[in-house]
């Protein structure tokens, strides 16, 4: 989880070199397609792997939420193997993102 947080923060793509982060639980749930058994297995995502979510479990700061298939789970932050996607808040001015 810590590695995913750090990797997302260091992401540089498409000329955007800062502001990247892991999505929180509300952002992750907002992009899910609930008609599918694999909630992110649709274009443009086509993701069937377990993904880290930035939200820490309130009852234990050693656990964070993950999205796996059609389930939101709790995983130990020190666990290995979780993949991640990065999100960024953009400002739109006309047809320009910044």
């Amino acid at each position: 989880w810590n590695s995913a947080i750090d990797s997302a923060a260091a992401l540089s793509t498409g000329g955007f070199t800062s502001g990247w982060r892991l999505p929180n639980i509300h952002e992750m749930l907002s992009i899910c397609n609930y008609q599918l058994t694999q909630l992110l297995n649709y274009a443009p995502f086509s993701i069937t792997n377990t993904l880290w979510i930035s939200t820490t479990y309130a009852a234990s700061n050693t656990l964070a939420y993950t999205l796996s298939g059609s389930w939101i789970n709790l995983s130990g932050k020190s666990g290995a193997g979780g993949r991640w996607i990065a999100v960024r808040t953009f400002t739109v001015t006309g047809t320009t993102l910044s």
Side-chain angles (χ1 to χ4, degrees):
W1 182 84
N2 287 314
S3 177
I5 293 282
D6 293 343
S7 297
L11 184 64
S12 176
T13 187
F16 299 101
T17 59
S18 64
W20 294 100
R21 58 187 169 73
L22 290 186
N24 64 43
I25 196 165
H26 299 290
E27 292 168 323
M28 185 65 82
L29 293 174
S30 74
I31 61 173
C32 290
N33 182 339
Y34 295 98
Q35 295 179 1
L36 303 173
T37 56
Q38 295 283 329
L39 298 178
L40 290 179
N41 192 15
Y42 68 94
F45 301 110
S46 299
I47 298 171
T48 58
N49 302 90
T50 298
L51 296 175
W52 284 113
I53 299 172
S54 69
T55 306
T56 296
Y57 181 53
S60 173
N61 65 1
T62 63
L63 299 173
Y65 291 96
T66 58
L67 173 66
S68 181
S70 60
W71 299 98
I72 296 292
N73 300 304
L74 287 170
S75 297
K77 289 181 177 181
S78 61
R83 296 179 183 234
W84 54 274
I85 59 173
V87 297
R88 185 179 188 276
T89 301
F90 289 91
T91 300
V92 180
T93 307
T95 58
T96 305
L97 293 177
S98 58

